[in-house]
Amino acid sequence: MAVELYSFKEIEKIRRACQVVVEVLEALKRSIKPGMSTHELDMIAREETKKRGAKPAFLGYKPPFSDDRFPASLCVSVNEAVVHGLPKKEILIKEGDIVSLDFGAFFEGYAGDSAITVAVGEVSKEKELLMMATKEALEEAVKVCLPGNWVSDIVDVIYRVAKKYGLYPLKNLGGHGIGRKVHEEPFIPNHPETFRQERKDYKLRQGMVLALEPMLSLGTDEISHNGDRWTVVTADGSPAAHYEYVVAVTKQGPMVLTEFKDG
Ligand code: MG
Ligand code: MG
């Protein structure tokens, strides 16, 4: 499958979908508190999306790795959960947790996708470092989204920042193209070994729109599953963090389409 290239007009439409996603994530960040279930967060996400005339992108989504459709609108991945965390009534948020909120939406025919990790109350110094470093990996990855660079440059940057802090990018996961669909080519691995297995590099071009989403952990680069068929966890149970921005590759430089008020 070819990589889609988008016009500036289309990029503005993707930006509007991303804006809905950012607003929903900001509403979730304001609402999250100890004692709340991850299912409640999913309900808030649905309500906030509806208010804005958009549609959740993950609800009913069938990814290539699953025979099932995702039954929620929001992925909530707490502590050792990395991504694809299935919201549940029995998972209660508590003080000291770090919670990855990953949300996607369609608005007027285009998709937005973004993720943030939220610290609930006071968290450990290690978790704070993990969050800071994962965000730094994302911000550094954005800077190399220039025409003429390669997907492998993004892979290298994420790895370099992870290693600088003694952290681990998780294997078999990564970012993706986005636009009319929420997941498009190219796949953007977070780990160099996963990149080598893919045996495919892509040159970045004007008009590519990429969702970059580094996921780093404190103790391992190996992933496992927790048994609910969705939630991906670290193999050693150590905490993981996850941030995701959408960026358009343009001759004027990287254009971030997911703009958060608090950075
Ligand atoms: Mg996402
Ligand atoms: Mg994504």
Coordinates of all heavy atoms in Angstrom, one line a residue, residues 25-38 41 44 74 76 78 93-94 97-101 116-121:
L25 N -9.0 14.8 25.2 CA -8.0 14.4 26.2 C -7.8 15.4 27.3 O -7.6 15.0 28.5 CB -6.6 14.2 25.4 CG -6.5 13.0 24.5 CD1 -5.2 13.0 23.7 CD2 -6.6 11.7 25.3
E26 N -7.9 16.7 27.0 CA -7.8 17.7 28.0 C -9.0 17.6 29.0 O -8.8 17.8 30.2 CB -7.7 19.1 27.4 CG -6.3 19.4 26.8 CD -6.2 20.7 26.0 OE1 -7.2 21.2 25.6 OE2 -5.1 21.2 25.9
A27 N -10.2 17.3 28.5 CA -11.3 17.1 29.4 C -11.1 15.9 30.3 O -11.4 15.9 31.5 CB -12.6 16.9 28.6
L28 N -10.5 14.8 29.8 CA -10.2 13.6 30.5 C -9.2 13.9 31.6 O -9.3 13.5 32.8 CB -9.8 12.5 29.6 CG -10.8 11.9 28.7 CD1 -10.2 11.1 27.6 CD2 -11.8 11.1 29.5
K29 N -8.2 14.7 31.2 CA -7.1 15.0 32.2 C -7.7 15.8 33.4 O -7.3 15.6 34.5 CB -6.0 15.8 31.5 CG -4.8 16.0 32.3 CD -3.7 16.7 31.5 CE -2.5 17.0 32.4 NZ -1.4 17.7 31.6
R30 N -8.6 16.7 33.1 CA -9.2 17.5 34.2 C -10.1 16.6 35.1 O -10.3 16.9 36.2 CB -10.1 18.6 33.6 CG -9.3 19.8 33.0 CD -10.3 21.0 32.8 NE -11.3 20.7 31.8 CZ -11.2 20.8 30.5 NH1 -10.0 21.3 30.0 NH2 -12.2 20.5 29.6
S31 N -10.7 15.6 34.5 CA -11.7 14.7 35.2 C -11.1 13.6 36.1 O -11.6 13.2 37.0 CB -12.7 14.0 34.3 OG -13.1 14.9 33.3
I32 N -9.9 13.2 35.7 CA -9.3 12.0 36.2 C -9.0 12.2 37.7 O -8.4 13.2 38.1 CB -8.0 11.5 35.4 CG1 -7.7 10.1 35.7 CG2 -6.9 12.5 35.6 CD1 -6.7 9.5 34.7
K33 N -9.4 11.2 38.5 CA -9.1 11.3 40.0 C -9.2 9.9 40.6 O -9.8 9.0 40.1 CB -10.0 12.3 40.7 CG -11.5 12.1 40.5 CD -12.3 13.2 41.3 CE -13.8 13.0 41.2 NZ -14.3 13.3 39.8
P34 N -8.5 9.8 41.7 CA -8.5 8.5 42.4 C -9.9 8.0 42.7 O -10.8 8.8 43.0 CB -7.7 8.8 43.7 CG -6.9 10.0 43.4 CD -7.7 10.8 42.5
G35 N -10.1 6.7 42.5 CA -11.4 6.1 42.8 C -12.2 5.9 41.5 O -13.2 5.2 41.5
M36 N -11.9 6.6 40.5 CA -12.6 6.6 39.2 C -12.2 5.3 38.5 O -11.1 4.9 38.5 CB -12.2 7.8 38.4 CG -13.1 8.2 37.3 SD -12.4 9.7 36.7 CE -13.8 10.5 36.3
S37 N -13.2 4.7 37.7 CA -12.8 3.5 36.9 C -12.4 4.0 35.5 O -12.8 5.0 35.1 CB -14.0 2.6 36.9 OG -15.0 3.0 36.0
T38 N -11.7 3.1 34.9 CA -11.2 3.4 33.5 C -12.4 3.4 32.6 O -12.4 4.1 31.6 CB -10.1 2.5 33.0 OG1 -10.6 1.1 33.1 CG2 -8.9 2.6 33.9
L41 N -13.9 6.9 32.4 CA -13.2 7.7 31.5 C -13.6 7.5 30.1 O -13.7 8.5 29.3 CB -11.6 7.5 31.7 CG -11.0 7.9 33.0 CD1 -9.6 7.3 33.1 CD2 -11.0 9.4 33.1
I44 N -16.8 9.4 29.6 CA -16.6 10.9 29.4 C -16.1 11.1 28.0 O -16.5 12.1 27.4 CB -15.6 11.4 30.5 CG1 -16.2 11.2 31.9 CG2 -15.2 12.8 30.2 CD1 -15.2 11.5 33.0
L74 N -12.0 4.7 24.0 CA -10.7 5.2 24.6 C -9.8 4.0 25.0 O -10.4 3.1 25.6 CB -11.1 6.1 25.8 CG -10.0 6.7 26.6 CD1 -9.3 7.8 25.9 CD2 -10.6 7.2 28.0
V76 N -7.1 3.1 27.8 CA -6.6 3.6 29.0 C -5.6 2.6 29.6 O -6.0 1.4 29.9 CB -7.8 3.8 30.1 CG1 -7.3 4.5 31.3 CG2 -9.0 4.5 29.5
V78 N -2.9 1.8 32.3 CA -2.4 2.2 33.7 C -1.1 1.5 34.0 O -1.0 0.3 33.9 CB -3.5 1.9 34.7 CG1 -3.1 2.4 36.1 CG2 -4.9 2.5 34.3
I93 N -8.7 3.9 39.3 CA -7.5 4.7 39.3 C -7.1 5.1 40.7 O -8.0 5.3 41.5 CB -7.8 6.1 38.5 CG1 -8.3 5.8 37.1 CG2 -6.6 7.0 38.6 CD1 -7.3 5.4 36.1
K94 N -5.8 5.0 41.0 CA -5.4 5.4 42.4 C -4.3 6.4 42.4 O -3.5 6.5 41.4 CB -5.1 4.2 43.2 CG -4.1 3.2 42.6 CD -4.0 1.9 43.4 CE -2.8 1.2 43.0 NZ -2.7 1.0 41.5
D97 N -0.6 6.5 40.3 CA -0.7 5.8 39.0 C -0.2 6.8 37.9 O -0.4 8.0 38.0 CB -2.1 5.4 38.7 CG -2.6 4.2 39.4 OD1 -1.7 3.5 40.0 OD2 -3.8 3.9 39.4
I98 N 0.3 6.2 36.9 CA 0.4 7.0 35.6 C -0.5 6.3 34.6 O -0.5 5.1 34.5 CB 1.9 7.1 35.1 CG1 2.6 5.8 34.9 CG2 2.7 8.0 36.0 CD1 3.9 5.9 34.1
V99 N -1.3 7.1 33.9 CA -2.3 6.6 33.1 C -2.2 7.2 31.7 O -2.3 8.4 31.4 CB -3.7 7.1 33.6 CG1 -4.9 6.5 32.8 CG2 -3.9 6.7 35.1
S100 N -2.0 6.3 30.7 CA -1.9 6.7 29.3 C -3.3 6.7 28.8 O -4.1 5.7 28.9 CB -1.1 5.7 28.5 OG -1.5 5.7 27.1
L101 N -3.7 7.9 28.2 CA -5.0 8.0 27.6 C -4.8 8.2 26.1 O -4.1 9.1 25.7 CB -5.7 9.3 28.1 CG -5.9 9.4 29.7 CD1 -6.3 10.8 30.1 CD2 -6.9 8.3 30.1
I116 N -1.7 11.0 25.7 CA -1.0 11.7 26.8 C -0.9 10.7 28.0 O -1.7 9.8 28.1 CB -1.6 13.0 27.3 CG1 -3.1 12.8 27.7 CG2 -1.5 14.1 26.2 CD1 -3.7 14.0 28.4
T117 N 0.1 10.9 28.8 CA 0.2 10.1 30.1 C 0.0 11.1 31.2 O 0.6 12.2 31.2 CB 1.5 9.4 30.2 OG1 1.7 8.5 29.1 CG2 1.6 8.6 31.5
V118 N -0.9 10.8 32.1 CA -1.3 11.6 33.2 C -0.9 11.0 34.5 O -1.1 9.8 34.8 CB -2.9 11.8 33.2 CG1 -3.3 12.7 34.4 CG2 -3.4 12.4 31.9
A119 N -0.2 11.9 35.3 CA 0.2 11.4 36.7 C -1.0 11.7 37.6 O -1.5 12.8 37.6 CB 1.4 12.2 37.1
V120 N -1.4 10.7 38.4 CA -2.5 10.9 39.3 C -1.9 11.2 40.7 O -1.3 10.4 41.3 CB -3.4 9.7 39.4 CG1 -4.6 9.9 40.3 CG2 -3.9 9.3 38.0
G121 N -2.1 12.5 41.1 CA -1.5 12.9 42.4 C 0.0 12.8 42.3 O 0.6 13.1 41.3

